[in-house]
Amino acid sequence: MAAVHESVLDAIGGTPLFRLTRLGAGIAAPIYAKAEFLNIGGSVKDRAALSMVLAAERDGLLKPGGTIIEATSGNTGIGLAIVGRQRGYRVIAGVSDKSSAEKADILRAYGAEVVLAPTAVPAEDPRHLFNVVQRLTEEIPGAWLANQYDNLANPDAHVRSTGPEIWEQTGGRVTHFVAGVGTGGTITGTGRYLKEASAGAVTVVGADPESSSYGGGDGSPWFVESIGHYLHPDTVEDRWPQALSSEVIDFYERIPDRESLLTARRLSREEGLLAGPSSGAAVAAALRVARGLGPDDLVVVVLPDSGRSYLSKVHSDTWMREWGFLEEGDATLRALLDTAGPLVAVDADATVGEAVEVLRTAPGGLAPAVLKRAARPYGVSATEVVGSVSREVLAAALADGSAKPGDPLGALLGTALPTVGVGQPPAEARAALADGRPGVLVLVDGRVAGLLAREVLL
Ligand code: PMP
């Protein structure tokens, strides 16, 4: 018989494991998914939220009439909103403008106040999400900043609940634990408990977006929300969260976005588990790990949240196609892209003279202007494009004397070129050329793979 609860807070934790029979077909080691979307607030972060609020009350940081503040991609905010409102507090969530709109709506529905802030600025910028919530905490009397990134009650939630649950549910047979790493709370707390319980026998694997710097990427943007470590090219000091204890993680599986997203879509279609993109990344990593294991091994992988929050993203064919993650049929831009010249990009903070130099090799004399990043091993992410540069504009400005070679490019930057996914038909690329745009950027896997000039498309 199902449980009867006196409080919704009692419905946090105690989530079931589901064997991945279809995705794991042909793999000797069983793979079990921990369905964290079945928590009352819909994600693994309910556990951390409850743990952090109880610890703050215990430590006298949160008193009756107090306000809970947090910078959150959404799920921690939902957890804090539920726990906070149930325990009588005001809740303010600072949400990244990168997060899905649905997440902010859910926060408001639970009675939280939402403040939107950009993450696409350096950590030092006063508009940065972390600085915005810091300021609010200083200004509001009785305010407490949950600070999931550095709050040790976050990993502790998983030492006390997630870890013991998995150990018990598998009868101590778990040999590998796989989870994505955002704050690091889940993997640190659960991994620590499982290693202790198994006398060090459990292997802990971090699932990381390929370009995230946790697993060794350059920190450039990716499309799997809520996990990984991003590094803005202008950020000076790279701080990792204190909730993350790297020594708990044996190794990272670095998963390209396409693999994460397609795996999330397989999870819903083939296993009946509608989960978010970070679940896709974690399961993709678990599959890689499990392929090298035997029948006596047992893999547990965390599904942090539900796919319902991403119906307009990973679970939308349109969205997948627009960002270059889905390519079906022959009537796409692929054929045109294969004939396009190599992509040339100009750093947005270059000088006019430097840009002219770069444009010498740009087909059509047109290039996207992008955020500075020394090396681009993963290519230019669509979200790093801030404008465009054309040879004609620069030549004209130099000729009439309105610009000198040493001037910053800034004022001469045109608006960013429209983007189209490689799987879209040429007609949609032509439609994007309205308003006399000189070309379109073609995306493959969320990264700029080429530039198609107007003449090529029309
Ligand atoms: N996936 C989702 C959907 C999340 O919201 C989070 C938390 N930001 C994570 C993964 C990562 O969990 P953690 O912060 O415990 O590392």
Side-chain angles (χ1 to χ4, degrees):
M1 199 175 80
V4 176
H5 297 297
E6 300 303 319
S7 162
V8 291
L9 302 188
D10 298 335
I12 293 176
T15 53
L17 292 181
F18 293 100
R19 175 127 185 216
L20 301 182
T21 48
R22 300 266 169 74
L23 270 67
I27 297 177
I31 306 169
Y32 285 93
K34 185 122 173 100
E36 288 301 302
F37 53 80
L38 292 174
N39 281 297
I40 191 78
S43 90
V44 68
K45 301 306 298 204
D46 290 357
R47 298 177 188 261
L50 179 61
S51 172
M52 291 190 294
V53 169
L54 294 181
E57 289 176 347
R58 189 195 60 217
D59 298 342
L61 302 171
L62 198 50
K63 299 199 179 72
T67 298
I68 298 172
I69 300 184
E70 183 59 326
T72 166
S73 65
N75 286 324
T76 305
I78 293 170
L80 286 170
I82 294 171
V83 176
R85 301 293 289 167
Q86 289 300 306
R87 298 186 74 82
Y89 305 108
R90 180 183 173 199
V91 180
I92 301 178
V95 173
S96 149
D97 57 7
K98 230 170 77 177
S99 288
S100 59
E102 294 97 323
K103 284 185 175 178
D105 290 339
I106 295 171
L107 285 169
R108 292 190 192 96
Y110 278 119
E113 296 157 57
V114 173
V115 178
L116 286 172
T119 41
V121 292
E124 292 79 14
D125 193 300
R127 292 167 300 162
H128 192 282
L129 182 57
F130 293 166
N131 300 323
V132 169
V133 296
Q134 192 69 49
R135 210 161 45 243
L136 284 171
T137 309
E138 284 157 19
E139 285 166 9
I140 299 171
W144 165 72
L145 183 64
N147 194 10
Q148 56 170 333
Y149 285 89
D150 295 326
N151 190 329
L152 299 186
N154 165 11
D156 195 47
H158 301 284
V159 174
R160 283 183 289 102
S161 68
T162 321
E165 286 172 26
I166 291 172
W167 188 250
E168 201 176 299
Q169 286 171 300
T170 61
R173 291 198 306 122
V174 57
T175 58
H176 293 74
F177 175 68
V178 185
V181 187
T183 66
T186 305
I187 199 160
T188 298
T190 312
R192 179 168 289 150
Y193 180 89
L194 292 177
K195 276 187 187 267
E196 263 173 39
S198 67
V202 169
T203 300
V204 176
V205 183
D208 207 33
E210 192 177 31
S211 65
S212 153
S213 65
Y214 281 145
D218 64 0
S220 63
W222 58 90
F223 284 80
V224 176
E225 292 175 44
S226 304
I227 56 169
H229 189 67
Y230 169 71
L231 200 56
H232 190 283
D234 293 334
T235 293
V236 181
E237 189 199 359
D238 182 19
R239 252 184 102 255
W240 285 19
Q242 288 170 29
L244 170 64
S245 297
S246 293
E247 76 276 3
V248 173
I249 301 173
D250 290 286
F251 60 90
Y252 284 96
E253 284 292 342
R254 298 173 56 194
I255 315 290
D257 284 342
R258 176 185 288 243
E259 191 177 337
S260 296
L261 300 173
L262 294 181
T263 305
R265 290 161 65 94
R266 287 191 63 197
L267 262 180
S268 51
R269 287 160 199 219
E270 298 178 39
E271 302 283 0
L273 296 166
L274 180 61
S278 71
S279 299
V283 171
L287 289 169
R288 286 185 181 193
V289 169
R291 283 191 193 102
L293 303 178
D296 293 335
D297 292 302
L298 191 153
V299 181
V300 174
V301 54
V302 177
L303 308 185
D305 73 352
S306 164
R308 289 206 177 203
S309 306
Y310 312 90
L311 292 179
S312 60
K313 292 189 166 183
V314 57
H315 296 295
S316 152
D317 286 358
T318 305
W319 185 90
M320 288 288 285
R321 209 174 285 119
E322 283 173 357
W323 292 99
F325 291 113
L326 205 59
E327 260 180 275
E328 290 157 337
D330 298 328
T332 71
L333 290 169
R334 174 60 77 178
L336 284 175
L337 181 64
D338 288 344
T339 63
L343 181 78
V344 173
V346 175
D347 282 339
D349 63 356
T351 63
V352 172
E354 285 165 347
V356 167
E357 200 51 45
V358 173
L359 283 171
R360 275 186 214 292
T361 58
L366 188 65
V370 303
L371 289 177
K372 178 184 74 204
R373 198 175 288 279
R376 295 196 175 90
Y378 312 99
V380 172
S381 170
T383 56
E384 289 179 297
V385 178
V386 295
S388 62
V389 193
S390 88
R391 190 150 50 208
E392 282 138 48
V393 169
L394 298 192
L398 288 169
D400 71 13
S402 58
K404 292 187 202 55
D407 288 350
L409 187 58
L412 299 176
L413 272 189
T415 51
L417 299 167
T419 61
V420 286
V422 69
Q424 290 184 249
E428 288 178 18
R430 282 194 285 276
L433 287 175
D435 318 333
R437 302 293 196 93
V440 298
L441 298 176
V442 182
L443 306 181
V444 175
D445 295 348
R447 304 211 163 231
V448 182
L451 189 157
L452 292 178
R454 197 178 178 82
E455 306 81 76
V456 177
L457 280 166
L458 295 180

